[in-house]
Amino acid sequence: MQDLYKNIFNCSPHPCICHKAVVGDDGHPAEFLFEASNEAFNGLFGTPSEKSGCQIMKFDDKDDFDWFSVFTSLWHGDKEICVEHYFPGIDRVMHISNYRTDDNIIVTWFHSLDKQARVNCSFRESRQLALLLESMPGIAVQGYGSDRIVHFWNKASEEMYGYSANEAIGKDIVDLIIPANMRMEVIDDIDKMIRKGEGGTAELLHLRHKDGTFKPVLSHHAVIEYPTGYKQLFCIDVDMLPYEKADEDIRKLSSAIKQSPVSIVITDTSGIIEYVNPVFCELTGYQREEVIGKNTRVLKSGLVSSEDYSELWETIKNGQIWKGELINRKKNGEHYFESVTVAPIVDSNGDITHFVGVKQDITEKKKFEQDLIDAREKARESDLLKAAFLQNMSHEIRTPMNAILGFSELAKMPGTTDEKRDGFLSIVIESTHRLLGVVDDIVDISRLETGNLMLKSNPIRLKAFMLGLYEIFKNHTYGDVVLEMPTVDGSLQAATVSFDSVRMKQILEKLLSNAVKFTKRGEIKFGCHKIGGAVRFFVEDTGIGISPDMYNLIFQPFYQLDMGATRAFGGNGLGLTIASRIVEKMGGQIHIDSKPGQGSVFYFDIWPDKSDFDIGFGDSHSFKFPEKREVYNILVAEDDEVNFILLREILKREFGEGALDVVRASTGNQAIEICRERANIDLILMDVKMPDVDGITATRQIKSVCPGVPIIAQTALAMSSDRDRMLAAGCDDYITKPIRRGLLVDLIYRYLRIKSSAGDANHHPY
């Protein structure tokens, strides 16, 4: 029977060939090996090589029929597969029938078809397809079969990959353009697409150029199966470099918008917000989710007119750019200024699709501009005040100077009676004190402006302190104005508090002078009372009063309620400024309660450095009071003859010729020697500026010899730093030149406990 079948096989007029499938572990054939062929096959195609395996199916170089795919299809469920194929080597179209036996033998029969017209039509279609693919600009197309050998390479492929058609055709597509790391994956994908007859999905790949660089391409594959059954794979590549650059530009633009230091908002044509950058969120306090989909009206503050908004919308809807400033509102309700530029975004047809707003926060800039305006206004006001001050100061200096010069000359004229001469000299003295007060005010305001005013705390009895002020001002009021006795709380009647008594006296003198000057009828009250741990001082009058809008102005330097040439009240305009600045230096603030025509109350609170009922005046000094005696020895260290005569005459006239023995030292060394030789010196008036040894050095040496003797420095130096140097050297107190007689008498009383022969009215026990 086997010989019979063999004879039939060999004698058949139809070509036939058999292959043996080599099946792998997965149950699918890995290769096909030649088994046998009949005489008809050998006569038509030639005798196959026994070792060629499946390669026998490639009958000539022009035949690219994919036998492997056809054979493997028999393992997908079909027992028979029939295809038609044109064989160029024999110039025939053959009907090919393929069968799979149970023992994995593939039997292939060939039947010649007389359908040349059909074949010619198929090839005409192939040529038309080739012409179409060749003429497609910018789209690279490569054609190859399951063996990956290129047989089509259009002009765009030459431009994209650098290989000419002659260089590419006949080469493995993998060797030409596939990077090494993708080779195995691509080979596997090609096999799958050929077997299935379906192209894969489009992929973004970076394929290799002839020069070794890599090109970004969008690659898509299509499988074309001809009527003959032959399958061809076409790879279609689109150069993505322009798109990649555009995408990079978009990415850069997006990053620039996100990282922009200004706020950026994109809306649709109705003003509905579609995008905001992070700066917008930081500035407004809104999160993206809170404003996306909302109208830009969410930012309106109500401080921009509807006309301005109408102009904005009219401008941008006409395709123009709008620039301006807006006041908007943050999420927390806070208002802010923005410099805004709004521009339309148009599409390729020129139609407006969106609006973009670029906005910069200029709130601080606006504040700075306003500060500049305010500063210029203040500078202008200051210039006016200074001009008025200079005019006023000229008047305040020249007026007492005129009196001093005029009445001094009158007192010297022959024939002037003693009574008139005494009157003239009283006017000279009063004018001199007035002029000195002007100079003191200028010095004090200079100290306060430069921060050179220093405070020195010392204990005082409040009741005695306030009574001393009363004695100064009780005879200075006008007409029927009454200065009432000071009001002191019961808890403060016997209290001793510690603060700078000199500056406190200066503050209250300024306030009382102000009250006296502006009160023409009624009464003036002043005093102090306890407020918690503080002492509240007040001065109340029934004068002209102050309107509330002037409260801050009256504390400015050189300001006066009546600034004109016809002003009814005198003064240099520094009194309240000095008082308020000193109070601030002491940790308080002057407050006002006043109405025009009803008077004023000025008050302030001071927290003393120390407050109790046991501190005595002498406790803070290094001296000790001398024993009671008939004659006290006073050393005056003064190099100037005139100043010494003045001091000696004041002391002898105030305390009597026999009460004091006044000794002079004209140099620092003389003062030191006198103290070493005489142990009975009771008090020293020490001039700071002297020949050879200055007063500060002399004080240190004298204190080392006579530590208990009180030393009062006398100096023309007005700065508080000079006072501190004197006190640090050992001086127990100081008095500034020109020396005021009353103050000198008070100091003598304080340190020697002797009273002036003129009575208590001439000294101030504080």
Side-chain angles (χ1 to χ4, degrees), residues 144 148 182-196 198-201 203 205 221 223 233:
Y144 44 89
R148 305 184 302 278
M182 294 172 55
R183 287 179 61 90
M184 298 309 298
E185 180 182 357
V186 169
I187 291 172
D188 186 54
D189 289 341
I190 291 174
D191 289 342
K192 289 179 180 178
M193 287 185 285
I194 291 290
R195 286 196 304 270
K196 292 182 178 180
E198 298 176 358
T201 57
E203 293 183 274
L205 304 173
H221 293 78
V223 178
L233 186 64

Side-chain angles (χ1 to χ4, degrees), residues 332-382:
N332 62 7
E334 179 184 346
H335 292 154
Y336 64 100
F337 289 85
E338 284 188 314
S339 175
V340 182
T341 300
V342 184
I345 300 175
V346 298
D347 60 16
S348 58
N349 296 322
D351 297 327
I352 297 175
T353 60
H354 294 81
F355 297 114
V356 57
V358 180
K359 309 190 294 178
Q360 184 173 9
D361 182 11
I362 58 171
T363 305
E364 291 302 319
K365 177 185 175 184
K366 284 291 185 181
K367 289 180 180 178
F368 179 71
E369 290 175 352
Q370 188 60 46
D371 289 344
L372 286 179
I373 294 172
D374 293 343
R376 283 198 298 267
E377 183 63 24
K378 287 181 180 179
R380 189 183 68 82
E381 292 177 359
S382 178

Side-chain angles (χ1 to χ4, degrees), residues 488-495 528 613:
V488 180
D489 259 2
S491 61
L492 300 177
Q493 287 284 333
C528 60
F613 300 96

